[in-house]
Amino acid sequence: MVELAFLIPLITGIAAFFLSRQHGRILLMATGAAHLLVSALLWLNRPTALFSAYFAVTPEGLLSLLVISLLFFLISIYTTAYLEAADIQRERMFTGSMLLFLATMTMVTLSDHIIVMWIAIEATTLASAPLIYTHRSAAALEATWKYVLICSVGIAMALLGSVLITVSMDVGQVDAAVSFSALTAVARQLDPSWLKAGFIFILVGYGTKMGLAPMHTWLPDAHSEAPSPASALLSGVLLNCAYLGIFKTNKIMVAAGLEDFSGIILIVFGLISIMAAATYILKQTEYKRLLAYSSIENMGIIAFGTGVGGLGAYGAMICLIHHSLIKSSLFLTSGNILLGCGSRLIADTGNLIKRMPKTFVALFGGFTGISGFPPLGIFIGELFIIMAAFRAGRYVGAAFFLLSLGVIFAGFANHIMKISFAGSADVAPAPENACMIWPQYVLLLTSVILCFWMPDSLYDTIMQAVTVSGGGF
Amino acid sequence: MIHSVDTILSLVLLSTLFSLGSSRLPGLIKVIAFQGVVVSIVPLFIGHVISAGAIVFTLATLIIRGVVIPLCIYLAIKKVAIRREVEPIVGYHASLLAGLALIVAAAFAGRYFDAPTLSDSALLLPTAITVLVGGMFLLIARRNAIAMVLGYIMMENGIYLVGTTFSARAQHIVEFGILLDVLAGVMIMAVILQNIKQTFDDVDTALLRTLKE
């Protein structure tokens, strides 16, 4: 049952390589729907896995899985329309890789064994590499090369970190399964110095994949060169998957009483990422790169929140969910702009409100959400994180955090205003396909609804996920 | 005390030095293949009980690390017939010197760790560190994309050395998963290499610097 969640897209993904265009598109949507169904069932029943040594249904995994499922289903609807409009060569490769990508990401959310987690995260890199190379240009090639090499080397560090954690079991003479859940239970017996070394390597490794500065260099390239549905997946859910690896390792650290050590490292990496994003966002000339840097910012915020702990860990989870929903919608919208304006440069767009009014609504709605307008989700998450930082006495960190957020808001707003309102007044309206508008609206609406009404089971699951790492109120 | 595994590990150390000093790509590939073979038989000489499963797994590792992966890279360069120099950023002699310094540093560093499984071999930890960092050095100090991929493979060899020898816990099925990932990664890199060659007519990574900021 649990394993079905990744076996379905795995099988359909392989099948998609042999199907015709039309069948491939139908298969993509059907798999998205089936996956959503399986995820919902997992959410309701929370069964144990068949191979329980390797896989488990955990609260944090379930949260990510549900987000992945919902996003993929909506993105698959968008993709069918996008593929029609964008004229992508080797479409089978694209649909097949999308499905394999879904399978590997699902495997990340469900894996409990430390090494299986690593295998799954490395597999996401491999499955998504063909997606970035879809356009087959020199720039796309460079982005793919950077992505595969930097992420593979980075993730190799995480493998070393995982091995060092098993060494900490040997040194501490612990006899337990090599899984996150088992290790969290016996964390106090693990050898602290090897555990610390393992955590650092895992943070650097998965941090590379998550887009934490200064290991983020692949991210803007990959996100801007990939076709928009793929960028939406990369930014919306792939980064979460990498974060999941860090989150679970941090849980072991907290259980071992080393939360001060792991916390300060997470805070420093988080702040560097936010500040790096603030520096680069101001002078961006391409809107997809702008969104990519905003993802780096949000990953920084999430790392910062996790490092602060307490209320901050809860805030980080809120930010994680809302960032996925809003940022994927923004990347899908960027696809519409690209099709309408035919250029990735901000300077070539303009007057979107006249040119593509429906797309404008999605863009502007996404912008208000992602930049943290009260009372939307990201605002609530950031507020919790700042409160937690003050409670923990991290005033300097909080000051840098607030300053960078201010700069990012100013830079982001400036670019969005240019895209939306600047430029000549008399532009012909471009056609807008309903299938390429509604997925964004649904994503944004979900985010808005979650701000005002959060189902009890969702709240409980978030609390279960963060209480072990000292989260909650 | 000289342990039999130390003899094999010294071969690994030598291969690292050779890889830092080699200027031609085919030579470098052969060194990496040799290193892959030696690294994959190390577990047989470490004190674990040898089971049938362990032997099958060792054979699989040997074939993939020692034959399939190097062959993959070799075919990639043969097909595209590129200039077969590794285009160093740091010269060969300086690289060799750095390698020697690395071995000394790793030997010193190895004494500060207390890992219980290491007691019977003096060279294990220093070798692992040397291969790992040496691979990283190759990755940074060569501009040729193929040499960079080889550096990555060397790094993976180092991690494998740390992994199988330090801890007896990892199950074979899991290790096989790692191996499969590395193999698939190298294959994808080989495909990208061919595309880089077709697009840019060279595999010098200095050409891959158009995307910035």
Side-chain angles (χ1 to χ4, degrees), chain B residues 29-69:
Chain B
I29 293 174
K30 274 176 205 148
V31 172
I32 297 290
F34 173 73
Q35 190 179 60
V37 170
V38 178
V39 161
S40 46
I41 58 169
V42 165
L44 290 181
F45 293 88
I46 302 274
H48 306 322
V49 186
I50 296 171
S51 62
I55 290 175
V56 170
F57 176 72
T58 309
L59 266 176
T61 316
L62 195 140
I63 291 169
I64 292 180
R65 278 186 198 273
V67 182
V68 181
I69 288 180

Side-chain angles (χ1 to χ4, degrees), chain A residues 185-224:
Chain A
V186 296
R188 291 222 170 251
Q189 299 161 38
L190 300 174
D191 181 69
S193 49
W194 284 104
L195 190 59
K196 280 180 191 172
F199 175 77
I200 292 176
F201 279 107
I202 285 185
L203 181 70
V204 170
Y206 293 152
T208 309
K209 193 77 198 262
M210 185 182 161
L212 292 180
M215 296 89 73
H216 68 283
T217 44
W218 63 271
L219 194 145
D221 301 344
H223 284 54
S224 63

Side-chain angles (χ1 to χ4, degrees), chain A residues 54 113 115 119 122 126 141-142 145-146 149 153 156-157 160 167 170-171 174 221 283-284 289 293, chain B residues 116 132 136 139 155 159 166-167 169 171 173-174 178 181 185 188 195-196 199 208 210-213:
Chain A
Y54 306 117
H113 193 285
I115 308 282
I119 294 172
E122 171 71 9
L126 304 175
L141 186 61
E142 180 184 339
W145 167 251
K146 267 191 184 172
L149 199 74
V153 171
M157 291 292 139
L160 183 63
V167 173
D170 284 344
V171 176
V174 181
D221 301 344
K283 52 177 183 179
Q284 271 318 304
R289 292 179 83 83
Y293 276 108
Chain B
L132 192 68
M136 245 187 276
L139 200 65
M155 252 181 79
I159 294 172
F166 271 46
S167 184
R169 285 165 202 284
Q171 297 96 328
I173 178 98
V174 172
I178 299 176
D181 260 359
I188 286 184
N195 283 308
I196 291 178
T199 315
L208 297 175
T210 50
L211 294 176
K212 271 182 201 154
E213 288 175 352

Side-chain angles (χ1 to χ4, degrees), chain A residues 131-133 135 221-228 230-231 234 288 344:
Chain A
L131 294 177
I132 298 173
Y133 189 48
H135 287 312
D221 301 344
H223 284 54
S224 63
E225 293 303 327
S228 296
S231 320
L234 284 173
K288 281 184 91 176
R344 281 202 287 253

Side-chain angles (χ1 to χ4, degrees), chain B residues 149-209:
Chain B
V149 175
L150 290 170
Y152 166 70
I153 296 168
M154 202 160 126
M155 252 181 79
E156 285 284 353
N157 281 344
I159 294 172
Y160 177 78
L161 211 53
V162 179
T164 45
T165 50
F166 271 46
S167 184
R169 285 165 202 284
Q171 297 96 328
H172 290 310
I173 178 98
V174 172
E175 296 202 19
F176 202 72
I178 299 176
L179 203 58
L180 220 58
D181 260 359
V182 174
L183 178 65
V186 171
M187 281 177 165
I188 286 184
M189 285 178 197
V191 172
I192 300 175
L193 284 177
Q194 287 176 13
N195 283 308
I196 291 178
K197 167 66 187 163
Q198 279 163 12
T199 315
F200 295 102
D201 211 35
D202 199 347
V203 286
D204 189 336
T205 47
L207 294 168
L208 297 175
R209 295 215 177 124

